[in-house]
Amino acid sequence: MSSLASITADAARGLLGAADSTFILRDGHEGHCVEQSGPNKKWKGIRFPLEGTVTGSVILSGVADSIADIRQDSRIPSSAYDPAAIQSILVVPIRRSQPLGAIVVNWNELRLADEDDIAILHALADITSVAWENVRLFEALQDKVKGLEAQRARIEAQHESLEVFSRALAHDLREPVRTVRAFSELIACGEDPPQMRDTYFELIHKAADRMAMLVDTVFQYTQLDDPSRLSKRAVDMNQTVTAVTGNLAQLIRERGAIVTAVDLPTVDAHAAHMMQLVQNLVSNALHHGPVGVEVRIDATDLGDHWQFSVSDNGPGLARNDVERIFLPFKRLNLNEEGAGLGLSICRKVMALHEGRIWCECGYEGGARFLFTLPKSGAGTPGATANVNRGSLMETTGRRLANVLLVDDRDADLELTRVLLQVRDRLQFNLIMAKSGKEALERLRQAGREQEPVDLLLLDINMPGMSGFEMLEELRKDTSIPPVAVVMCSGSTYEDDLKRAESLGAAGYMVKPPSLDQLKPMLAVLPDLHLDQEGRDSRLTHAA
């Protein structure tokens, strides 16, 4: 648009031998001097009211106006022009019906524009009007094309996700289902020695774990198709790495690994996606690296964006593998137990954040993954985060945390207790409630007895008062001391996750619960501490 205005102003000045000319657009009740041609550009960029001005009356009426001597026209204030430089003007509307603006030419001599002058400027204004409309239509068409391209990209992404889902159903999920069915039938027949049953149950358990892992991973993959679900906020990548190393603490100890993050910035991103991205990359390095592998995470300021790298001193990758490892279900080793979607998820996450991810082959001493994130304006590097072999937090001055579990089903209450306290060997004081009403009363009672609840694990779908309704009541009740809330539900609907976040929940755990799911939520709660020694863990609260 600006180029057309400049061309029109230059043409008007040249065609009529004027001292200067101005291209003006209508903007509501004002005129806007978009462009000016000539040695003096004093009017370019200014705005003026249409009412009570010569140019404004031409735009409002659609009728051209010529003034032979500006000193004799009361509509022109003496401050508007320098009579020594400008003495006569001609104003012609751009489009005579519902003008979109005007072209003004100024002469530095007394001159009454004749019919030829007016006809020439009218012709130029008509050509400009057509060109302006064409430019507007072209820009609208470009916006439409961009919208269609974005829609096509979403359809292609959804088609890709459908293929991934179909592949998971047709192949990857069938194998553990066959395992469960086959060994269940062997146990039911009772023809094998009794001592084999423990082995069969262990194989069934592993197959069930793999099915759950596949379902969760495919669900995560398909949820990354809709950019409207991307809610960004300031994310401190140092804290992200701290949470990730907490999640992977057991694996880090088993591998004797060291994970280091150096002065990472704060970025504008989806916090859970950043956790997912970094955890996938670090987990890959731990699984594929040697015992004692060292993983380093750092960031480089490249002006308009940050470039992060996750590098290790492992065996590295062959040149022909650096691209295909990002394809869904592509595994490089036969003994891999993952779903084969980790790096594909990383690439989807980066596409949603308008960044990119790639792997450099031939990196000295191991593999190096790099990804970029646009800057948000808040990107100051923070502290250095380290996790080394077998570190254990001091528990002096801390008491065992009080955890209130709220669920209407006896089976789910018992299963959560067994999974967290028996299987995951997490120590805490457990309190149970079977309804939102009962839970609120227990919270009030705990406050009165000065034994406040530190963590609330809250189901959503309960009769009478749902988990969300209870959470709303909890936030309004000033008699209840502050308590961290983690939703614990079988629902994976995005709307439930968003509502939990909007109501101030610190996290969202999908049933069946596990310590691995709980760790990143605990990492952002300053008053709760997870102390680990080998397989045993203690959830404590600062006294």
Side-chain angles (χ1 to χ4, degrees), residues 281 311 314 323 339:
L281 295 176
S311 54
E323 181 59 32

Side-chain angles (χ1 to χ4, degrees), residues 170-186:
H171 181 268
D172 292 69
L173 278 171
R174 282 188 175 181
E175 291 183 3
V177 168
R178 281 197 297 266
T179 299
V180 170
R181 178 179 295 171
F183 285 105
S184 297
E185 290 174 353
L186 287 175

Side-chain angles (χ1 to χ4, degrees), residues 183-184 187 196-207:
F183 285 105
S184 297
I187 293 172
M196 293 300 298
R197 291 189 177 183
D198 288 343
T199 302
Y200 295 164
F201 277 121
E202 183 179 353
L203 292 170
I204 289 172
H205 180 73
K206 288 182 178 179

Side-chain angles (χ1 to χ4, degrees), residues 49-54 56-57 60 74-77:
L50 296 180
E51 294 289 344
T53 61
V54 175
S57 65
L60 292 171
S74 61
R75 297 173 298 172
I76 300 178

Side-chain angles (χ1 to χ4, degrees), residues 385-396:
N386 290 291
V387 172
N388 52 34
R389 300 176 180 90
S391 63
L392 177 63
M393 298 177 64
E394 292 292 334
T395 59
T396 304

